[in-house]
Amino acid sequence: MRAWSVFAAELQKLSALPAVWTGAAVAVLGAGALTLLNAVGVRDALLAGRPEDSGYGSAFDTAFASMPIGTVGAVVIGVVAMSSEFTANSPDAGGGRQIGTTLVAVPRRVGVLVAKAAAVVLLVLATAAVAIPASVTLAEAIIGDAATSTVPADEAVRRCLGAALYWTLTALLALAVTVFTRSGVVPLLVLVVNSSLVSVSLLLTMLTPVAHWLPDMAGRRLFGDVDTVAGGLAAGPGALVMTGWALALLVVAGAVFSRRDA
Amino acid sequence: MRAVGLPPVVAAELDKLRTLPVTVLAVVGTVVVGALIAAAQAGAAADQDLPTSAVDVTLRTVPFVVAGLVLVGVLAVSQEHAGRQVATTLAAVPRRGLLVAGKSIAAAAVVALAAISTLGACVAAAAVTQRLLDAPASTDGAGAGALLGAAAYLVLIGVFSHAVALLVRHLVPALVGVLALVLVVSPLLAGATEHARWLPDRAAAAWFDAGPGALDGPTATLVALTWVVAVGGLGSWRFLVRDA
Amino acid sequence: MLTIEHLVKHHGSRTVLDHVGFEARSGRVTAFLGPNGAGKSSTLRILLGLDRADEGRALVAGQSYRSLRDPLRTLGSMLDGSGAHRSRTARNHLSWVARSNGIPQRRVDHVLDQVGLTASARTRVGRYSLGMGQRLGLACALLGEPEVLVLDEPVNGLDPEGIRWIRGLLRAHADAGGTVLLSSHFMGEVADIADDLVIIAGGRVVADGTLDDVTRRYETLEDAFFALTSDGRDTVR
């Protein structure tokens, strides 16, 4: 079994799923639409001389404020990549699940999971490569000269890469968790809630500082240092911790996936 | 022959929700999670010696239980399309208008049950935590009116989720769509533009948390209900005319 | 009892049904035959009000299915196997169906017993085999003691004993004055129990009459079927 063909098969399977495209669309169009609305509001406030109402001073920060919606898209891609394998067909079509076909075609289960993870990474990075530059460009175009501050180019690049990494790691976490649950409902619910401002992890940080080491809190600063919540890990160590979580969960998922009856 | 009226359809829809394990799990899960989070928030406040009341803690817990209500709200419709149950349902109740009405009443009833039990559990958990930790209590916080508003808010979100499910039919898009709107889009928009107050959840939130820039009472109610009626109407129309 | 008149249905530019019309009469078993994709299910879905016809109409005792009061007491149907949510038990499934049409709950146990699912009544439908799902679908069709039975591929997935049982059930139902319309592509089963035949191919009715009328010119029903549905071309066998 050549690893490349397993990967190609997984990639083809994923890119044929409407839900994966929906996830990508949520990230691209959602970030674009939010940036559009926010940027118009920011520009109007800045032009009217009310910078305190605008929320953000630079176009880049305005665009980056809409990045959490991209996390939702990444969660959808990661969850659906796995849950689609376990969705039962209608009884007319035999009531079968795709996982049977997948494992008959590629019995080495760890290989399947690795290929799936690689396909998810590729798709999320592709989504990020469209969504992030598009949002930033859109915000620049709308706010333009009204901006009261700018973000230096090297910091901007670092934060763009950081956001793409955060999305990718979130998608991998979603993939790993869905291996355990098989159904997509619980991981979608939990991960979408946690990628929002009412994140349970965020609440836990108020009870114990250990919660700063949870994957979503650890990676939080990849988007930049502007976050309102104090404390926690800096971008670099945070990225390492979050990557560690993603890899560890994938390893456990691989062990479970290999041993469990399909 | 007996006439099929609304009551048997509602009864059948309630039966369907009750015997669906995921409904029970969602309702119980929301109640338990809500109680735990309320207890945690009461504990955190006690740690910092901040005087607070059980009702205030409950109101701060509301955003964390919204997701549970969204899930409960979409189930009445989404269960039909997980497999081919919809064929059985339409064979039993071919009048689709009647079916949508019955389904919506049943969904609203279950959502209301979930909302009220969750808020009750939150108040109880917060009060017990405060008592156990001997925390400073505040008496000048929000009263029963705000609690009622929070219940109405949760019911509205649940019913709105049902309306979205009527429109998109399947569990995952309905769930992700409403969650993204309520938990991500609406707070992000609110950060930069005041137009966010016209979103359904922002409008309904004015019932218990009238922050600066919120719509005033009657307007908020009108906006929130208009959203539900518009989306629900579109979803019902789609359900009425399209092939199953 | 069942009247199908000039049904036309398009899916995009494809014509699925092209003026399909026939009747299923009381006291008779009418078999609705055709190859995969010929339009059998589309016709039945329109008859049951699941899909709308672009032209024509399908009537149950002179009324459209959607205007029937307590429809399950007039017409019992099985289209998609069990038609039940996979995480519900068979008993719970039948129970809500009964409730929606004002059918007494004791009928639930009765039909479960009738189709031989009493022992599995508390098992979730997702764990059922194909044949058990089929039996649950039949139980649902029988629930309202209807005069008309409309069954799509009822023997699909049933074991030989089940096939024999359903043959007896349908025969008895017709002999008692009821109407039975069943679609199938199992020629052997149909030849044994059908009184009337309707054969559909490419969205058109190509033969309609009693079993004897339709098969007179051919040795077997199977020969008749292939001759009539091959549209003049040699059938790929």
Side-chain angles (χ1 to χ4, degrees), chain C residues 182-200:
Chain C
L182 78 148
S183 84
S184 184
H185 45 234
F186 287 106
M187 249 71 64
E189 295 316 316
V190 165
D192 284 347
I193 60 167
D195 303 305
D196 297 328
L197 280 186
V198 178
I199 301 183
I200 185 171

Side-chain angles (χ1 to χ4, degrees), chain A residues 117-137:
Chain A
V120 165
V121 167
L122 189 68
L123 286 171
V124 174
L125 284 180
T127 306
V130 178
I132 299 175
S135 302
V136 172
T137 313

Side-chain angles (χ1 to χ4, degrees), chain B residues 1-5 8-9 11-13 15-22 78-80 82-96 240-244, chain C residues 9 11 45 48-52 65-74 77 79-80 82-89 92-93 95-97 99-102 105 124 140:
Chain B
M1 262 189 269
R2 270 166 25 97
V4 173
V9 178
E13 290 299 328
D15 250 17
K16 273 158 122 171
L17 283 169
R18 182 177 55 78
T19 58
L20 199 66
V22 62
S78 72
Q79 60 165 321
E80 300 289 350
R84 295 294 305 156
Q85 185 183 278
V86 65
T88 312
T89 300
L90 286 173
V93 187
R95 297 174 188 199
R96 299 192 181 187
L240 291 181
V241 298
R242 72 175 286 161
D243 291 346
Chain C
K9 177 80 180 173
H11 283 170
R45 290 177 65 83
L48 295 176
L50 293 172
D51 294 357
R52 280 177 200 276
Y65 187 83
R66 287 198 195 196
S67 64
L68 290 176
R69 291 169 180 280
D70 285 339
L72 298 185
R73 291 166 166 247
T74 306
S77 59
L79 278 198
D80 291 297
S82 73
H85 191 285
R86 46 188 292 113
S87 67
R88 226 191 293 282
T89 65
N92 283 336
H93 173 67
S95 172
W96 73 255
V97 175
R99 180 120 40 225
S100 68
N101 272 241
Q105 292 291 318
R124 299 203 187 288
C140 194

